[in-house]
């Protein structure tokens, strides 16, 4: 009965693996619900501030903020949002593929790139390929705080204000539903005006700014960019958990298939051993 | 009928209030302002303080905000409350920290992105994944 013992051992080990993937699947499912909840909660803020920005684009301000002015692109900043942990299918790999295509496109145009990384995976990847990383934020956990991102965003915005960067982009996973995650490349700065709100007065108007247009717009646009990055991070976490849940589910299913197949092989081996034993006994008896 | 104005109070991590009001009192940077319907468009930062919403039925609701931005349009008021404590120095420190983290990680960094190499590695990984997928399918038949 050669091999039967090994097969039994293999079955036991696959069963253990399945236990782990099953547990991870359930943990991811419950974390995903919380992450989706957080995503929903943070949406009103980004919607509202987006409205304000679109109003601003329709106003006729005397003062034009630098974040709203296009300039010739020589160097861009890119913020890449990834997960801290692996075992979430092709989520990060696909994101990096998108990033690389984008980076190469810029490279061909002779545009230099500064990278800001969020999450361990991006940090490891861009370090390995030798990207020019200027800031990073990792270990944000499952419930990131806006505070954790302020510094990172400020590094990019300061470089933009100093004229070192001419555009800032955000690359992240957009949560469509549990099965689908979309890679997005979003231009943060210069800010692109969004759709028109028809409720607004059509004639020429401008805001009253207190204390001054410059100070107000500085604060507002900075918060706008931060809210976009925060929204990206929160969505990415929901994507991560969804992708992990799906990956772990398919791993558990695969384990079940493997166990079935191995069980069959084991049964056959056992049956063959028994048949052989019987024929040996019969042959022995006949010889006597 | 009294005139009302739509008020939204939101923070980055939650929606705090959304509804109609006769008047809102908001701690703007230059001092508290009372906003009533048909106010002129206004943008202002806020200082820490209380946002008070006087509703149609005479009730009053109050929320504490630690700062943020305020937008007024003739028929809507949007209060964007900060969740983080903001100050120029704090922001500077945070930015410095983010930079230092990156520098620390990159102590042994190489220059120039090797796209060809990275893409080859990625292609290899993708091919491996596809091969696994095929193997898995074959095992089923």
């Amino acid at each position: 009965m050669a091999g039967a013992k090994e097969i039994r051992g293999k079955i036991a080990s696959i069963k253990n693996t399945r236990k782990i993937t099953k547990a991870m699947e359930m943990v991811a499912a419950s974390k995903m619900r919380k992450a989706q909840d957080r995503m929903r909660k943070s949406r009103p803020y980004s919607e509202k501030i987006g409205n304000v920005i679109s109003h601003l684009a329709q106003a006729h301000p005397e003062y034009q903020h630098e974040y709203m002015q296009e300039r010739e692109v020589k160097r861009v900043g890119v913020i890449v949002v990834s997960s801290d942990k692996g075992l979430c299918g092709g989520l990060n790999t696909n994101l990096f593929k998108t990033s690389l295509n984008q980076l190469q496109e810029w490279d061909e145009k002779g545009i230099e790139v500064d990278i800001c990384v969020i999450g361990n995976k991006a940090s490891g990847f861009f370090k390995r390929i030798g990207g020019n990383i200027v800031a990073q934020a990792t270990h944000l956990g499952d419930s990131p705080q806006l505070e954790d991102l302020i510094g990172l965003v400020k590094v990019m915005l300061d470089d933009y204000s100093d004229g070192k960067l001419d555009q800032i982009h955000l690359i992240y996973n957009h949560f469509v539903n549990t099965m689908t995650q979309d890679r997005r490349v979003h231009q943060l700065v210069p800010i692109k005006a969004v759709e028109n709100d028809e409720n607004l007065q059509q004639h020429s108007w401008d805001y009253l700014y207190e204390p001054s247009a410059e100070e107000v717009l500085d604060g507002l646009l900075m918060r706008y960019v931060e809210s976009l990055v925060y929204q990206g991070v929160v969505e990415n976490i929901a994507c991560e958990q969804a992708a992990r849940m799906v990956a772990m589910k398919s791993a558990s299913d695969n384990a079940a298939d493997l166990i079935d197949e191995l069980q069959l092989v084991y049964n056959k081996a056992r049956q063959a051993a028994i048949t052989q034993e019987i024929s040996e006994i019969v042959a022995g008896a006949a010889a006597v | 009928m009294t005139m009302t104005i739509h008020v939204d109070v939101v923070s980055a991590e939650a929606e705090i209030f959304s509804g109609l009001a006769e008047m809102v009192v908001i701690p703007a940077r230059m001092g508290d302002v009372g906003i009533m319907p048909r106010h002129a468009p206004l943008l202002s930062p806020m200082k820490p303080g209380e946002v008070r919403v006087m509703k149609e039925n005479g009730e009053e609701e109050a929320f504490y905000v630690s700062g943020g931005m305020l937008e007024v349009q003739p028929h809507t008021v949007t209060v964007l409350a900060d969740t983080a404590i903001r100050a120029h120095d704090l922001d500077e420190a945070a930015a410095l920290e983010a930079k230092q983290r990156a520098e620390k990680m990159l102590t042994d960094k190489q220059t120039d992105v090797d796209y060809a190499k990275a893409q080859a590695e990625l292609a290899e990984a993708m091919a491996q994944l596809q091969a696994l997928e095929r193997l898995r399918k074959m095992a089923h038949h």
Side-chain angles (χ1 to χ4, degrees):
Chain A
M1 215 173 138
K5 193 159 179 287
E6 283 105 80
I7 297 174
R8 223 165 35 218
K10 206 154 218 168
I11 291 177
S13 109
I14 293 174
K15 274 186 178 158
N16 281 335
T17 311
R18 185 175 60 172
K19 266 184 217 157
I20 295 169
T21 56
K22 198 113 203 158
M24 284 185 75
E25 179 194 332
M26 286 189 284
V27 171
S30 108
K31 279 190 177 173
M32 185 188 71
R33 267 193 291 278
K34 279 184 207 146
Q36 271 178 284
D37 207 35
R38 207 167 297 116
M39 194 173 77
R40 250 196 319 277
K41 276 189 182 154
S42 70
R43 224 166 239 168
Y45 185 89
S46 37
E47 268 169 25
K48 289 286 161 354
I49 198 163
N51 284 346
V52 176
I53 299 293
S54 78
H55 292 170
L56 195 66
Q58 285 174 75
H60 299 77
E62 281 170 33
Y63 171 76
Q64 276 283 337
H65 198 274
E66 55 188 356
Y67 292 172
M68 301 187 92
Q69 288 164 345
E70 296 275 346
R71 53 194 190 204
E72 199 197 335
V73 183
K74 291 195 200 78
R75 194 180 183 92
V76 297
V78 48
I79 302 176
V80 182
V81 186
S82 74
S83 66
D84 271 334
K85 291 173 190 153
L87 286 182
C88 47
L91 188 78
N92 288 318
T93 319
N94 286 332
L95 186 81
F96 296 152
K97 209 175 153 200
T98 309
S99 317
L100 272 185
N101 287 341
Q102 190 68 51
L103 291 182
Q104 199 172 24
E105 214 173 279
W106 282 321
D107 195 49
E108 278 160 10
K109 286 185 199 155
I111 300 170
E112 288 177 272
V113 183
D114 277 350
I115 302 169
C116 253
V117 292
I118 299 177
N120 268 338
K121 290 286 158 188
S123 149
F125 178 77
F126 285 104
K127 185 186 172 195
R128 205 155 49 83
I129 68 163
N132 183 24
I133 302 176
V134 291
Q136 75 159 352
T138 53
H139 304 290
L140 297 178
D142 293 327
S143 47
Q145 306 284 312
L146 191 62
E147 285 164 65
D148 304 328
L149 302 170
I150 289 174
L152 179 124
V153 175
K154 192 173 166 56
V155 171
M156 286 262 128
L157 289 181
D158 281 353
D159 282 353
Y160 183 85
S161 299
D162 295 346
K164 279 191 228 158
L165 298 176
D166 305 304
Q167 273 184 350
I168 302 175
H169 294 260
L170 176 74
I171 301 180
Y172 69 105
N173 283 299
H174 172 69
F175 186 90
V176 183
N177 57 41
T178 316
M179 301 301 289
T180 324
Q181 292 90 34
D182 226 9
R183 275 102 50 206
R184 288 259 171 104
V185 183
H186 185 88
Q187 182 177 322
L188 294 175
V189 182
I191 292 166
K192 284 187 182 158
V194 258
E195 75 281 8
N196 290 354
D197 185 345
E198 292 181 358
N199 295 326
L200 282 186
Q201 320 166 27
Q202 292 303 316
H203 63 86
S204 177
W205 60 278
D206 192 13
Y207 283 107
L208 304 167
Y209 300 96
E210 270 185 14
S212 70
E214 195 182 346
E215 198 174 321
V216 171
L217 291 183
D218 263 346
L220 181 70
L221 298 179
M222 184 182 73
R223 281 176 177 81
Y224 178 61
V225 173
E226 280 167 5
S227 88
L228 287 177
V229 176
Y230 180 76
Q231 185 71 21
V233 169
V234 175
E235 285 208 21
N236 199 68
I237 289 173
C239 288
E240 179 195 347
Q241 299 300 349
R244 179 167 299 132
M245 189 183 84
V246 172
M248 287 302 119
K249 174 149 180 47
S250 78
S252 306
D253 292 349
N254 287 349
D257 288 350
L258 262 180
I259 291 171
D260 283 350
E261 278 162 33
L262 283 175
Q263 192 69 51
L264 211 64
V265 174
Y266 171 73
N267 289 349
K268 273 183 191 157
R270 192 190 56 186
Q271 199 54 51
I274 292 169
T275 312
Q276 194 186 350
E277 223 168 285
I278 290 173
S279 63
E280 274 166 15
I281 291 169
V282 171
V288 171
Chain B
M1 200 190 111
T2 50
M3 285 200 2
T4 53
I5 187 164
H6 191 88
V7 184
D8 286 302
V9 184
V10 291
S11 81
E13 282 152 29
E15 181 165 29
I16 299 167
F17 177 84
S18 177
L20 294 171
E22 280 179 15
M23 184 167 101
V24 233
V25 180
I26 292 160
R29 172 75 59 81
M30 308 292 282
D32 284 12
V33 287
I35 310 282
M36 296 179 78
R38 296 197 181 164
H39 193 284
L42 166 76
L43 270 179
S44 172
M46 296 186 298
K47 59 184 182 188
E50 218 180 15
V51 173
R52 285 186 294 143
V53 182
M54 282 82 162
K55 295 200 278 192
E56 290 170 280
N57 51 14
E59 277 178 40
E60 189 181 316
E61 274 196 59
F63 314 95
Y64 176 79
V65 292
S66 59
M69 300 296 297
L70 159 74
E71 191 223 13
V72 179
Q73 286 287 341
H75 299 289
T76 52
V77 175
T78 309
V79 176
L80 302 161
D82 282 343
T83 41
I85 297 166
R86 311 294 300 245
H88 191 66
D89 296 350
L90 280 177
D91 286 7
E92 288 284 349
L96 203 66
E97 208 181 302
K99 269 188 194 166
Q100 279 166 350
R101 278 198 300 266
E103 275 158 21
K104 201 172 144 205
M105 182 194 71
L106 289 173
T107 34
D108 57 342
K109 80 161 193 173
Q110 320 125 288
T111 44
D112 279 338
V113 185
D114 193 345
Y115 292 113
K117 190 179 158 208
Q119 251 169 356
E121 277 178 32
L122 263 177
E124 200 185 310
M126 298 301 266
Q128 277 175 358
L129 272 175
Q130 274 163 6
L132 279 174
E133 193 72 13
R134 263 203 307 279
L135 278 177
R136 206 167 67 83
K137 280 204 187 108
M138 271 161 64
H140 274 291
H141 299 306

